[in-house]
Amino acid sequence: MSDALAEYANGLALWIGALLAMVLAHQHPPRSGARIFWWGATLGLALIAANEVFNIFDRIERAWGDDDYADLLFLCLTPIGLYAACSLEEAPRIAVRAMQLGFAFQCISDVIDLSDGDGFLFNYQIPGLEQNLMDVVTDISELIFIETYLFGLGCLLLNLLMRRLGLIGGTA
């Protein structure tokens, strides 16, 4: 698997996540807190997807410094967003578990990504792994956590639509 192909696959998955977040936003009344949250999530996911495809942060890195800072920032903000999403949507257990598992995979992926030996914050490398192999492992680990989050978002959307149709209890 080429590195560019994996980045495009991750970018596509993130664009799908942005689309799911946008659909979730439109399920709420205008100017509601939930709609604003989901529009923020849509914009955030679109930015991350654009970065994955167009390497925006790598280009900024040349001017400002290492992209490890952005990775750590996203890692720190993710649990807040996941908690808000699951709370706003009265998430079923399967969605909550998917989000928790996605965050665990994201943490593992970031440890792998930050150990690639070229980081400003973490300048070490996992012994025995070449740079090309590290790039592939990083891209695959990113795809795993992104897909897990997509499953969780899909569960949230399905749960919201089923509540709205009156197929399950809860508020819509």
Side-chain angles (χ1 to χ4, degrees), residues 103-125:
F103 184 67
F105 288 148
Q106 182 181 0
C107 290
I108 293 167
S109 177
D110 280 352
V111 166
I112 293 168
D113 188 30
L114 294 173
S115 66
D116 59 6
D118 66 356
F120 179 74
L121 294 177
F122 302 100
N123 200 10
Y124 65 91
Q125 190 168 6

Side-chain angles (χ1 to χ4, degrees), residues 49-166:
N51 175 57
E52 194 67 29
V53 174
F54 302 114
N55 294 320
I56 295 168
F57 293 134
D58 288 342
R59 294 167 196 232
I60 292 172
E61 176 183 346
R62 289 183 222 140
W64 292 354
D66 195 88
D67 70 341
D68 286 351
Y69 292 113
D71 290 342
L72 290 175
L73 176 66
F74 288 130
L75 184 64
C76 291
L77 293 176
T78 298
I80 298 166
L82 294 176
Y83 177 78
C86 290
S87 296
L88 283 171
E89 299 304 332
E90 300 174 18
R93 184 176 303 150
I94 190 169
V96 172
R97 295 289 183 249
M99 297 299 187
Q100 290 170 338
L101 188 59
F103 184 67
F105 288 148
Q106 182 181 0
C107 290
I108 293 167
S109 177
D110 280 352
V111 166
I112 293 168
D113 188 30
L114 294 173
S115 66
D116 59 6
D118 66 356
F120 179 74
L121 294 177
F122 302 100
N123 200 10
Y124 65 91
Q125 190 168 6
I126 296 175
L129 294 180
E130 300 175 12
Q131 188 61 41
N132 289 339
L133 182 57
M134 275 307 290
D135 291 341
V136 170
V137 169
T138 298
D139 289 334
I140 291 172
S141 69
E142 287 176 2
L143 189 60
I144 290 170
F145 84 77
I146 293 167
E147 296 297 332
T148 306
Y149 283 146
L150 283 178
F151 177 75
L153 279 173
C155 290
L156 285 178
L157 181 59
L158 183 60
N159 184 61
L160 179 68
L161 294 174
M162 289 177 67
R163 278 187 288 142
R164 184 159 288 168
L165 293 172

